[in-house]
Amino acid sequence: MRCVHRRAAALVGPAGAAMVAAGAVMLLRGRGGRKEIRAELAAQRIAFPGHGLPARLAPHAGAAVRTGPQAHAYAELIKDHLTHATGGRTYAEITEELHATGGDDEKLTRLRQTAFMGETLRGSLLSAYQAWQLTTLVQGLGALFTGVGAALVLTARDLSRPGGAR
């Protein structure tokens, strides 16, 4: 029976050590990703207006956009403004209207440019939010791998001791 414990320890120990190492890398990469997202958002110098926000966004009044959740909230603000400015029409719908008029309608041309710029900014902010969510996942998995790996290393240690795992 002692031989079985040693063999199990020989398998479980390295697997646990690999999980601890992978978990540590994931934790560091997740932290680094968050730091990069914060730096990129800060470089954009985006801030919520100090007043006039919808009730659901009021807690962000005057705040700079520095995190994924803040980027998501600002993207929602852009969505509200675009809906108001375009009457709920999308860039594609406005483009279709413009083409139907022969492409000579200056008002629709400006509206299409507004829709394009707003959707582009909104898409960039939503990408930052998605990246933030991925860093959360990576960090969570890193913590899980580290914990399970440490448990496996300790189990292997106990299995390899004389009289262990009885």
Side-chain angles (χ1 to χ4, degrees):
M1 190 66 154
R2 190 69 218 128
C3 185
V4 173
H5 288 180
R6 281 196 302 271
R7 284 187 198 144
L11 293 173
V12 171
M19 288 182 77
V20 168
V25 169
M26 293 170 90
L27 287 166
L28 289 173
R29 294 297 295 162
R31 184 174 178 206
R34 285 251 170 123
K35 185 177 178 183
E36 188 174 340
I37 294 165
R38 285 181 189 273
E40 288 298 322
L41 287 171
Q44 296 302 313
R45 298 186 189 126
I46 302 168
F48 287 90
H51 53 80
L53 291 172
R56 72 184 193 287
L57 299 175
H60 297 286
V65 176
R66 298 282 191 269
T67 68
Q70 289 172 324
H72 184 266
Y74 203 90
E76 289 302 303
L77 178 63
I78 291 172
K79 180 181 177 182
D80 290 351
H81 287 173
L82 279 174
T83 299
H84 178 72
T86 65
R89 294 173 291 177
T90 66
Y91 171 81
E93 291 168 332
I94 295 167
T95 299
E96 189 177 309
E97 285 180 45
L98 182 61
H99 288 194
T101 66
D104 294 334
D105 188 323
E106 187 61 35
K107 183 179 177 185
L108 280 176
T109 299
R110 285 192 311 273
L111 188 59
R112 182 175 80 156
Q113 183 178 8
T114 297
F116 178 79
M117 290 184 340
E119 286 298 332
T120 300
L121 291 171
R122 188 168 182 273
S124 293
L125 289 165
L126 289 174
S127 291
Y129 174 67
Q130 290 170 344
W132 188 272
Q133 295 299 89
L134 283 174
T135 62
T136 300
L137 175 64
V138 168
Q139 288 178 318
L141 287 173
L144 178 66
F145 272 46
T146 301
V148 170
L152 290 176
V153 167
L154 292 174
T155 300
R157 185 192 69 190
D158 288 346
L159 286 172
S160 64
R161 286 185 178 165
R166 288 188 181 190

